Amino acid sequence: MKRLFLYFFAVTLLSLFSFDAKAAENGVIRGKVIEEVGALPIPYAVVSIFESTAEQPLLTIQTDENGYFKFNNLKTGTYKIKVSYVGFASLFVNEISITDKDSDKNLGNLKLSSEQSNLNEVVISAQKPLVEFGADVITYNVGSSVLAEGSTATDVLKNVPMVQVDIDGNATISGKRSTRVFIDGKPSDYMTSNIADLLNVLPSDAIEKIEVMTNPPSKYSGDGEGILNIVMKKGFKVGFNGNIGVTAGIQGNKNTNANASYRGKNYNLNGSAAYRENIGKGTSESYRTNFFPDTTFYYNQFNNNRSKNNGGNFRLGLDWDITPKQNLRLSTNYNTNNSNSNSGNNFYYIDEALVPTRLRNQLNLGDGNSNNFVFNADYNLQTDTTGGKLTMGVTLNTNANYDLRSYNRTYAFPTNLNPSLQQNDNEVSNRGLNFNLDYDKPVFNKRDQLEFGIAYNYRKNDNDLLVENFNYQTEQFVTNKNLTNKFFYNENILSGYASYNYRKNGWGLKGGLRGEYTDVNFDLSTGTSYHVSPYLSLFPNLSLNHFFKKRYNFGATYSVRINRPRENALNPQVNNADTLNISFGNPDLSPAYTHQMDFSFGAFGQKWSFTPRISYSTSRGVIERYRTVKKNGVSESTFDNVGTNNSFALMLIGNFRPTNKISANGNFSIIQSKYSSTLNTALNRDGLSLRASLGFSMQLPYKTAFESNLNYANNINAQGRNKGSINSSFGARKSFFKNTLSARISTNDPFGRKNNNSFNSGTNFTSQSYSTNNSSNVTFSLNYRFTKVKMNKVVVPPPPPAKQ
């Protein structure tokens, strides 16, 4: 009897528990997303729901064709909602309580305001997904990354899906030969002569997100096959807030940064400062076989290098809402960078019998500095109550770069060869102007948008190179007139575009046309002048998207892009730092045009998304570095329109979130490239390029988070292949004192240093190179955030009465 009673009691408890659990999972949160101006519904806006204390969303969905969303089967508890859509300020609703007695929450109309007038944010701070996937853009939210804290833009880009960063800090998009880097939607090459210098100092805490655009819309410049757009934080939080951080690594790298903003009633002041020191070490070796009709000989080269860089970045901005319909945004940026380096090279000359006949030792010393200043102004005017918006922007920039290098060459054997000492003094200045005027407006009382605008870009570059050789008899440096030169470059581009975007019943169609009139001239101090005949280029852009059954998306795009030769590729100044491998530009280059098409299919579940893409492109007059070897064994490397390239790519992109605390994302691409050339039969080649990355993040107990990334790349080019090793990074973060203080430890490449291997071949040579650098590192960071935020309350209306 006692056993029967216990059994009955247990069954009753389980039944009650099951009933309560079932009842507790009947919560509903619903609402409608509309535009603040015009009250038009916003279909396919991204809505994320979070548990009140969670940093990762519990679930992310999209609104339907009429802007409605609904979360079902919610447990009792407190939640927060985040709503976002491209071109609008994110909106947050906090403290939404689901109880047994009040399980259906209707938030009513949630109004999104444009990014230029987002005074009425509902709540500040909600964790965004690390990676967001769109039809033709991938967004990497920097603030959601553990690894991004206390780092720089260069470090962040290494972990962005579909992006590869080489040893010099240059970033490219997978499958794209020419990638342009934009900052806040404007070309960065108008801001600095070397974008790698800026990204190497720009602190990650100043960056909001990075957008990978594989098919940029007509609003953007037609140059480059893809765009990396770095969106800076604007500091719109109401009140006074900011952070101070410091990072140090065992390799000797240091990084300190601070930023703060103050938001008043109708204005925002924000500023940031950062200082960075970095030590680089590396070794490399190369083996070249030279084939000639009467002989075969070899050049082997072994190098080691060490460099030290330090620099600062300072930003100041003002955002002023002049009236509810007018906004003015001003910002300045000053960047400075200093470097010194030393390296040693051993060159072995080996004859056909594999006997070393000469050994030359070379000591290289370098000392350089650069600085740039940028002023940016953007004016926004809301022209009517139906959503019309006029935007005008101006960017002025100036920068200078100074580089002094010396090359001391001696011979170990034979000893009768004379030594030489060469000094290169290189000064580069760059000035630019960027102006744009844009207008967009809905045409009909539907979800459509008409955009058109004009732009003017001016760029001036002066490159002064003085080369001197030391005369050992007079003990003086003598100007080398054959290598000394001045290069003056001027570029003017006038652009205009128009596009129309229409969305209805899950369909989206966008078409646009951009025209660019280009006028370029440049000359040398030798008296040679070049004036490229002005040319007009047209860039059509068409995209079709269909969202159906609330979980599938199909997209197709077509666009034409251009790769213009610029000063670095046109400048014929000779670089003979390595006298056996000299390089120079080609002033006779022509622009290359690329037609590219993309097809994507997206499937979205509650805990996963999968977006395979197929891409095809064909390019004419492809600009790539081209290498030849003369009879004396000297390799000459220059740029040329090497021929045509047809490329076919398959990209697999996805993420998986098994719980609200664990997230994984990955992408894999395989690219088939086929080169054909009349320039040289050695360039008629085809092959596969492979790229892959995998990211994993986890929210752990006690306000701790973990993140890791793995990356691999293996790429073909016109004359060979570049093969990289697997690069890895791991990081963990712990928060203290109500998330105001965080400590982070991270490690890069703990399993081995970063290696790069390359193979190149021509009609009379083959070359293999291997290099490694000190990428293995452990860093420690502390970051303190201070925030005094005013939150606007949201009145949640009661649920509608149940129908009888």
Side-chain angles (χ1 to χ4, degrees):
M1 184 69 181
K2 185 178 180 180
R3 290 184 179 179
L4 181 61
F5 173 77
L6 291 175
Y7 175 77
F8 175 78
F9 180 72
V11 171
T12 302
L13 284 178
L14 288 174
S15 300
L16 290 173
F17 176 79
S18 300
F19 176 79
D20 290 342
K22 184 176 181 180
E25 294 182 359
N26 286 334
V28 175
I29 296 177
R30 68 181 83 213
K32 183 179 181 180
V33 181
I34 64 174
E35 294 185 19
E36 183 180 55
V37 178
L40 292 173
I42 301 179
Y44 318 121
V46 178
V47 186
S48 300
I49 184 170
F50 300 75
E51 293 180 342
S52 59
T53 59
E55 294 189 11
Q56 296 291 341
L58 185 64
L59 181 64
T60 298
I61 62 175
Q62 289 183 307
T63 57
D64 63 15
E65 293 85 349
N66 298 311
Y68 289 101
F69 68 89
K70 182 179 180 181
F71 293 101
N72 296 313
N73 303 322
L74 299 175
K75 299 179 181 179
T76 57
T78 304
Y79 297 89
K80 53 188 177 184
I81 293 289
K82 173 211 166 187
V83 185
S84 61
Y85 191 74
V86 177
F88 293 86
S90 298
L91 179 134
F92 306 91
V93 183
N94 205 11
E95 298 179 357
I96 307 171
S97 180
I98 297 292
T99 65
D100 293 337
K101 295 181 180 181
D102 188 9
S103 61
D104 191 332
K105 290 290 187 180
N106 187 343
L107 304 182
N109 291 331
L110 302 181
K111 300 178 181 180
L112 295 190
S113 61
S114 65
E115 285 185 330
Q116 287 76 22
S117 58
N118 55 351
L119 273 173
N120 296 320
E121 287 180 331
V122 179
V123 163
I124 305 301
S125 80
Q127 189 75 6
K128 298 179 181 180
L130 180 61
V131 183
E132 296 177 295
F133 301 97
D136 51 11
V137 62
I138 295 175
T139 302
Y140 186 88
N141 294 306
V142 176
S144 300
S145 172
V146 174
L147 293 170
E149 294 180 1
S151 60
T152 65
T154 301
D155 301 320
V156 173
L157 283 166
K158 295 176 182 178
N159 295 319
V160 176
M162 294 183 64
V163 176
Q164 182 183 11
V165 181
D166 65 16
I167 193 172
D168 297 318
N170 300 307
T172 56
I173 299 175
S174 175
K176 308 294 183 182
R177 285 176 306 280
S178 57
T179 300
R180 297 192 72 190
V181 178
F182 280 42
I183 296 179
D184 283 334
K186 297 185 178 182
S188 64
D189 49 12
Y190 291 95
M191 303 178 189
T192 175
S193 59
N194 187 357
I195 181 59
D197 287 344
L198 174 60
L199 299 181
N200 198 43
V201 179
L202 186 64
S204 61
D205 283 331
I207 304 173
E208 178 182 347
K209 60 185 177 180
I210 296 175
E211 298 173 330
V212 182
M213 300 183 183
T214 55
N215 184 46
S218 300
K219 183 177 181 178
Y220 290 90
S221 166
D223 211 337
E225 296 177 21
I227 289 176
L228 293 174
N229 185 34
I230 299 176
V231 181
M232 308 302 297
K233 289 181 180 177
K234 306 303 186 298
F236 283 116
K237 295 181 179 180
V238 179
F240 180 69
N241 60 91
N243 72 275
I244 300 173
V246 59
T247 300
I250 61 175
Q251 292 280 7
N253 56 304
K254 304 171 185 175
N255 189 350
T256 60
N257 65 85
N259 65 74
S261 67
Y262 177 77
R263 181 59 158 166
K265 182 178 179 181
N266 63 344
Y267 68 92
N268 175 78
L269 288 171
N270 60 84
S272 67
Y275 175 77
R276 184 176 195 251
E277 289 186 5
N278 185 62
I279 296 177
K281 304 174 187 177
T283 61
S284 64
E285 52 191 82
S286 65
Y287 306 89
R288 173 150 59 92
T289 302
N290 307 283
F291 304 99
F292 291 96
D294 56 343
T295 183
T296 297
F297 56 97
Y298 311 87
Y299 286 158
N300 295 346
Q301 182 175 334
F302 303 89
N303 312 309
N304 62 82
N305 61 81
R306 179 183 176 90
S307 62
K308 184 176 182 179
N309 299 271
N310 64 79
N313 178 267
F314 308 91
R315 302 176 64 86
L316 185 64
L318 167 67
D319 196 278
W320 178 28
D321 290 296
I322 306 171
T323 69
K325 294 184 178 181
Q326 297 182 79
N327 173 269
L328 178 65
R329 181 181 297 168
L330 305 174
S331 66
T332 61
N333 178 87
Y334 178 75
N335 190 76
T336 181
N337 194 64
N338 301 284
S339 65
N340 60 75
S341 62
N342 62 80
S343 62
N345 314 115
N346 295 323
F347 300 86
Y348 286 87
Y349 301 68
I350 303 174
D351 63 18
E352 192 169 23
L354 302 180
V355 176
T357 58
R358 276 184 292 170
L359 170 58
R360 192 188 74 191
N361 308 120
Q362 179 169 315
L363 176 63
N364 311 306
L365 300 176
D367 187 12
N369 62 77
S370 64
N371 62 81
N372 71 282
F373 176 78
V374 180
F375 172 77
N376 189 79
D378 290 290
Y379 172 76
N380 301 279
L381 174 65
Q382 184 179 307
T383 58
D384 51 57
T385 59
T386 60
K389 183 175 63 177
L390 179 70
T391 303
M392 180 173 65
V394 177
T395 299
L396 300 171
N397 74 278
T398 177
N399 65 72
N401 183 81
Y402 174 76
D403 190 34
L404 178 63
R405 295 186 179 274
S406 65
Y407 311 100
N408 189 5
R409 305 173 180 117
T410 59
Y411 288 87
F413 63 86
T415 56
N416 60 339
L417 295 177
N418 295 325
S420 67
L421 175 61
Q422 178 179 314
Q423 181 173 281
N424 289 15
D425 190 340
N426 196 193
E427 295 185 35
V428 181
S429 65
N430 186 64
R431 293 179 294 278
L433 167 67
N434 184 308
F435 171 80
N436 65 280
L437 181 65
D438 304 283
Y439 181 74
D440 60 89
K441 175 183 174 62
V443 181
F444 306 107
N445 189 22
K446 297 178 181 178
R447 278 303 306 166
D448 72 339
Q449 197 81 4
L450 175 66
E451 298 180 76
F452 54 88
I454 58 174
Y456 171 69
N457 298 316
Y458 169 73
R459 181 184 176 95
K460 178 180 176 62
N461 178 273
D462 296 341
N463 191 326
D464 186 356
L465 175 64
L466 171 64
V467 180
E468 297 176 306
N469 296 108
F470 188 73
N471 188 316
Y472 288 91
Q473 294 180 348
T474 62
E475 295 186 348
Q476 292 180 331
F477 279 100
V478 180
T479 300
N480 187 326
K481 296 182 179 180
N482 294 326
L483 298 179
T484 298
N485 211 335
K486 294 183 179 180
F487 179 79
F488 307 98
Y489 176 88
N490 290 275
E491 177 184 86
N492 296 270
I493 302 177
L494 180 62
S495 311
Y497 79 95
S499 67
Y500 180 71
N501 185 10
Y502 181 80
R503 292 191 296 273
K504 185 178 181 180
N505 298 328
W507 289 91
L509 176 64
K510 188 171 186 178
L513 180 65
R514 183 180 183 91
E516 296 184 350
Y517 181 80
T518 306
D519 185 15
V520 173
N521 64 82
F522 53 96
D523 57 88
L524 307 175
S525 59
T526 57
T528 306
S529 298
Y530 299 84
H531 184 256
V532 179
S533 298
Y535 57 92
L536 176 66
S537 304
L538 297 178
F539 307 102
N541 185 296
L542 182 65
S543 65
L544 175 68
N545 289 279
H546 180 43
F547 185 80
F548 55 99
K549 295 185 179 181
K550 299 184 179 181
R551 62 180 302 173
Y552 301 107
N553 181 276
F554 170 78
T557 64
Y558 167 77
S559 64
V560 177
R561 308 291 296 174
I562 187 175
N563 182 17
R564 291 183 179 88
R566 286 194 162 85
E567 61 271 25
N568 291 334
L570 294 169
N571 189 350
Q573 291 174 344
V574 176
N575 180 351
N576 74 330
D578 179 352
T579 56
L580 297 179
N581 298 279
I582 65 174
S583 61
F584 47 88
N586 180 1
D588 297 319
L589 288 175
S590 300
Y593 293 89
T594 300
H595 296 255
Q596 55 188 28
M597 293 171 283
D598 293 287
F599 301 91
S600 64
F601 177 82
F604 307 89
Q606 290 187 351
K607 298 181 179 180
W608 58 273
S609 69
F610 179 59
T611 310
R613 295 185 179 185
I614 297 176
S615 175
Y616 175 77
S617 66
T618 177
S619 302
R620 299 291 181 267
V622 175
I623 300 175
E624 285 199 12
R625 188 171 287 279
Y626 172 61
R627 186 179 184 183
T628 58
V629 173
K630 302 300 181 181
K631 289 185 177 181
N632 59 359
V634 175
S635 165
E636 295 185 354
S637 176
T638 187
F639 293 92
D640 214 321
N641 297 100
V642 298
T644 65
N645 178 53
N646 297 317
S647 177
F648 181 84
L650 171 64
M651 289 168 278
L652 305 177
I653 306 169
N655 62 17
F656 177 56
R657 195 182 300 274
T659 72
N660 65 321
K661 298 183 181 298
I662 298 176
S663 176
N665 65 82
N667 67 88
F668 171 80
S669 62
I670 179 170
I671 305 163
Q672 170 70 36
S673 299
K674 183 176 182 180
Y675 288 88
S676 59
S677 174
T678 57
L679 182 68
N680 195 315
T681 56
L683 301 179
N684 295 329
R685 67 176 68 238
D686 60 87
L688 295 175
S689 297
L690 300 175
R691 293 188 183 184
S693 68
L694 179 65
F696 177 81
S697 62
M698 176 185 297
Q699 300 297 319
L700 301 172
Y702 306 107
K703 297 182 180 181
T704 305
F706 170 81
E707 184 180 338
S708 64
N709 276 283
L710 298 174
N711 297 279
Y712 174 78
N714 189 332
N715 307 310
I716 189 175
N717 57 45
Q719 279 195 285
R721 177 177 295 277
N722 297 320
K723 181 180 179 181
S725 60
I726 296 177
N727 309 125
S728 58
S729 54
F730 303 87
R733 179 189 60 201
K734 167 71 175 172
S735 299
F736 306 89
F737 308 120
K738 297 182 180 181
N739 296 327
T740 59
L741 179 67
S742 64
R744 185 199 66 152
I745 180 172
S746 65
T747 176
N748 295 319
D749 293 328
F751 308 114
R753 294 184 173 188
K754 182 177 180 180
N755 300 308
N756 289 281
N757 305 326
S758 64
F759 173 83
N760 288 274
S761 64
T763 55
N764 59 357
F765 76 93
T766 61
S767 175
Q768 290 181 283
S769 300
Y770 309 89
S771 65
T772 182
N773 60 37
N774 63 327
S775 60
S776 298
N777 196 13
V778 178
T779 59
F780 305 88
S781 301
L782 284 175
N783 194 73
Y784 175 71
R785 303 181 188 277
F786 49 93
T787 305
K788 293 183 179 180
V789 179
K790 176 183 176 182
M791 296 184 181
N792 299 318
K793 296 294 183 180
V794 173
V795 178
V796 180
K803 295 181 179 180
Q804 300 296 328

